[in-house]
Amino acid sequence: QKEVEQDPGPLSVPEGAIVSLNCTYSNSAFQYFMWYRQYSRKGPELLMYTYSSGNKEDGRFTAQVDKSSKYISLFIRDSQPSDSATYLCAMSEAGTDKLIFGTGTRLQVFP
Amino acid sequence: GAGVSQSPSNKVTEKGKDVELRCDPISGHTALYWYRQSLGQGLEFLIYFQGNSAPDKSGLPSDRFSAERTGGSVSTLTIQRTQQEDSAVYLCASSRQKNTGELFFGEGSRLTVL
């Protein structure tokens, strides 16, 4: 079993839809949770960063962390074709900067 | 440019040959990471350098893989006696501060072993 599980998709939605992306994990020591976005043939870029449990909102993006269920989510409201990319969750333990990534979910938003 | 620079962007080699991949991090970033990305496998951690501390090599898949970072800046990932399963995109990232989760990635070096 991988430390971090993520459905690879692809997920195809119409423009304007609400998108929900999820990851589960097994390591209860994870304290920092991130979402990265990766466009084709590019390196990943940080989208959202949260510490411990709770919600964080940034524009159309909301990140949720439920440590009791070992489950994290990223919601995208009013999705746009420019959101079409692969979304990777990542997490790390306190005291280390080593990030463990999920496999990524490929999202396609069609006009 | 001000981003992480990797070279070569593409490398095709024959099985059994050695390859070197180079990473030039963002100036002033003390931490440097190497990850490997294979189709359907996500990003696999390889090695992590932080300042003058001993590197975390726990992700290197075999003793054919090694990396060094000279002068706290440029890093080279070396793969000896390449195998077909080494074919992947090798991504380098750097970061400025601890515990921010913000890694700045290069565009990767795509390695194909024939």
Side-chain angles (χ1 to χ4, degrees):
Chain A
Q1 183 189 7
K2 291 184 178 180
E3 273 192 291
V4 180
E5 299 279 357
Q6 185 175 9
D7 188 332
L11 183 61
S12 185
V13 301
E15 184 175 356
I18 297 174
V19 175
S20 173
L21 304 167
N22 312 293
C23 287
T24 58
Y25 62 95
S26 57
N27 184 353
S28 58
F30 285 144
Q31 296 283 344
Y32 300 89
F33 304 90
M34 290 131 276
W35 286 94
Y36 278 77
R37 179 175 60 195
Q38 184 176 25
Y39 291 112
S40 180
R41 300 273 178 167
K42 299 291 186 182
E45 55 181 351
L46 182 68
L47 197 58
M48 297 286 282
Y49 169 84
T50 54
Y51 169 68
S52 197
S53 286
N55 294 356
K56 183 173 183 178
E57 187 173 322
D58 184 1
R60 296 184 295 110
F61 299 90
T62 299
Q64 286 186 350
V65 175
D66 182 349
K67 289 188 69 180
S68 63
S69 301
K70 298 190 180 67
Y71 187 87
I72 69 170
S73 301
L74 177 70
F75 297 96
I76 307 174
R77 291 182 298 281
D78 187 26
S79 56
Q80 302 295 309
S82 58
D83 296 328
S84 299
T86 296
Y87 290 79
L88 301 115
C89 62
M91 37 200 88
S92 65
E93 300 180 17
T96 176
D97 291 300
K98 186 170 79 175
L99 269 60
I100 306 300
F101 284 83
T103 54
T105 299
R106 189 157 63 90
L107 171 68
Q108 183 177 4
V109 181
F110 56 89
Chain B
V4 175
S5 178
Q6 290 189 247
S7 61
S9 54
N10 281 286
K11 176 73 175 178
V12 180
T13 190
E14 293 179 347
K15 178 182 173 180
K17 300 280 190 181
D18 297 353
V19 296
E20 285 190 352
L21 308 176
R22 176 188 167 104
C23 173
D24 203 339
I26 295 172
S27 178
H29 281 195
T30 57
L32 187 146
Y33 306 74
W34 283 98
Y35 282 84
R36 177 168 71 175
Q37 187 171 31
S38 306
L39 194 62
Q41 298 297 313
L43 269 69
E44 176 189 4
F45 169 80
L46 297 177
I47 188 168
Y48 161 57
F49 297 88
Q50 172 59 269
N52 294 321
S53 303
D56 179 345
K57 304 179 181 181
S58 60
L60 295 177
S62 77
D63 58 8
R64 296 187 295 106
F65 288 72
S66 63
E68 63 177 18
R69 188 179 184 191
T70 54
S73 181
V74 172
S75 176
T76 302
L77 176 69
T78 301
I79 309 172
Q80 296 178 310
R81 304 181 302 281
T82 52
Q83 303 294 311
Q84 288 183 331
E85 60 262 29
D86 299 334
S87 296
V89 176
Y90 289 83
L91 289 160
C92 176
S94 67
S95 68
R96 180 178 58 242
Q97 294 178 338
K98 293 177 69 67
N99 292 333
T100 64
E102 186 166 25
L103 273 57
F104 294 84
F105 283 87
E107 296 195 346
S109 292
R110 183 175 298 274
L111 175 66
T112 303
V113 182
L114 301 177

